[in-house]
Amino acid sequence: MPSPFPGMNPWLERSGVWHGFHHLYIARLCRQIAGQVAPRYVVDVDDDVYVHDESAVTIGRFRPDVGVSREEEPPRAAAGAATIAAPALLDLPMEDVERVPYLKILDGEGREVVTVVELLSPTNKRRGDNRTSYLNKRRAILAGDVNLVEIDLLRAHPPMPPADRPPCAYSALVVRRGRRSVAEFWPIGLRDPLPVVPIPLRPGDADARADLKAALDGAYDDAAYESRVYKRDPDPPLSPEDAAWAREFLPRPA
């Protein structure tokens, strides 16, 4: 069953819901785009890994090495060798590892990244080291002559630059390779339908299309959100006027 709202569903922004929705939404976008561009292009899901210590301070953003792990027997002490006991045992701080998925579109050989599609998360929107890491990644993408598509479906936390963007609750931004100084921008209000946005590829190839509402409806249905997200109010909260408007779309109790 599709989400009942014409555009973004504010109940999906809440902490505890967003993380799973983010993964499902990216998977739905992947399916949409791959169906349009294969076999000339490859669409893959990748992720950035953020490591937080127990005080919620970001240690850094990194890409893990991909390898094959296998269980090994612990090394056996040589015959007659004495066991060496450590003089002290220390408590290491607990770390929280968060994976934030995004899409990358590569050439058919899977060698060159052509386009990156990002769905912003609270982790990379919130002020601090995480945001700085994301903005550095964004600069590297554009400096590498790669197309960027950035989708923001979160009202919380400051929007990404540029500073002269029109005021809006949500947005989509497209920067094409070779045109770093120009960004195509879709301001989206709480009550607005989610648009279909272009996914640029290599020069000479027609854009693919990302239907943001269709991806939302698919993710909403995949996780059966209708049965569980409306038991609490949206977070961030809505204004009284918007809350009254939103209640008109809520599913009626069975």
Side-chain angles (χ1 to χ4, degrees):
M1 180 174 294
S3 168
F5 292 90
M8 178 56 186
N9 184 327
W11 271 262
L12 299 176
E13 300 176 59
R14 195 175 66 239
S15 175
V17 175
W18 176 264
H19 182 74
F21 171 76
H22 189 138
H23 283 73
L24 293 170
Y25 193 88
I26 284 290
R28 281 286 177 165
L29 284 181
C30 181
R31 183 184 305 178
Q32 270 192 38
I33 298 168
Q36 300 172 60
V37 304
R40 184 167 175 80
Y41 296 93
V42 174
V43 185
D44 198 8
V45 179
D46 207 338
D47 52 39
D48 287 320
V49 181
Y50 293 85
V51 180
H52 315 272
D53 66 17
E54 59 189 358
S55 62
V57 176
T58 299
I59 299 173
R61 178 177 65 81
F62 67 94
R63 290 289 306 122
D65 292 332
V66 178
V68 178
S69 62
R70 64 181 186 274
E71 294 184 1
E72 298 181 355
E73 295 184 2
R76 297 178 180 177
T83 301
I84 301 175
L89 298 176
L90 304 178
D91 291 328
L92 293 177
M94 296 296 294
E95 295 176 348
D96 173 39
V97 178
E98 180 182 2
R99 296 179 182 272
V100 178
Y102 65 94
L103 293 181
K104 57 183 181 182
I105 303 173
L106 305 96
D107 61 27
E109 300 297 323
R111 296 174 182 172
E112 178 189 350
V113 178
V114 175
T115 305
V116 170
V117 181
E118 296 273 4
L119 176 63
L120 296 181
S121 73
T123 296
N124 46 36
K125 282 191 72 177
R126 189 179 295 113
R127 294 190 188 277
D129 292 343
N130 293 342
R131 184 181 177 93
T132 300
S133 292
Y134 175 77
L135 289 174
N136 288 338
K137 175 189 176 182
R138 192 200 219 198
R139 294 186 191 99
I141 290 169
L142 299 178
D145 202 26
V146 174
N147 302 306
L148 173 67
V149 178
E150 185 179 87
I151 303 164
D152 185 355
L153 298 181
L154 291 165
R155 289 170 294 126
H157 312 298
M160 293 295 173
D164 62 347
R165 53 191 282 153
C168 52
Y170 313 108
S171 66
L173 176 143
V174 174
V175 183
R176 299 175 184 268
R177 61 194 299 173
R179 299 182 64 193
R180 292 179 54 193
S181 62
V182 178
E184 301 168 40
F185 189 74
W186 285 258
I188 307 167
L190 174 69
R191 308 187 189 194
D192 294 339
L194 291 179
V196 176
V197 298
I199 306 295
L201 303 167
R202 281 179 164 168
D205 287 343
D207 295 341
R209 295 157 57 90
D211 187 330
L212 304 190
K213 181 60 163 65
L216 187 150
D217 288 343
Y220 183 87
D221 188 52
D222 287 341
Y225 283 120
E226 180 175 350
S227 64
R228 58 191 179 95
V229 297
Y230 302 113
K231 298 176 182 178
R232 295 168 57 188
D233 291 335
D235 185 19
L238 300 172
S239 69
E241 296 79 7
D242 285 336
W245 170 82
R247 281 194 292 272
E248 296 299 316
F249 293 92
L250 296 185
R252 302 302 178 191

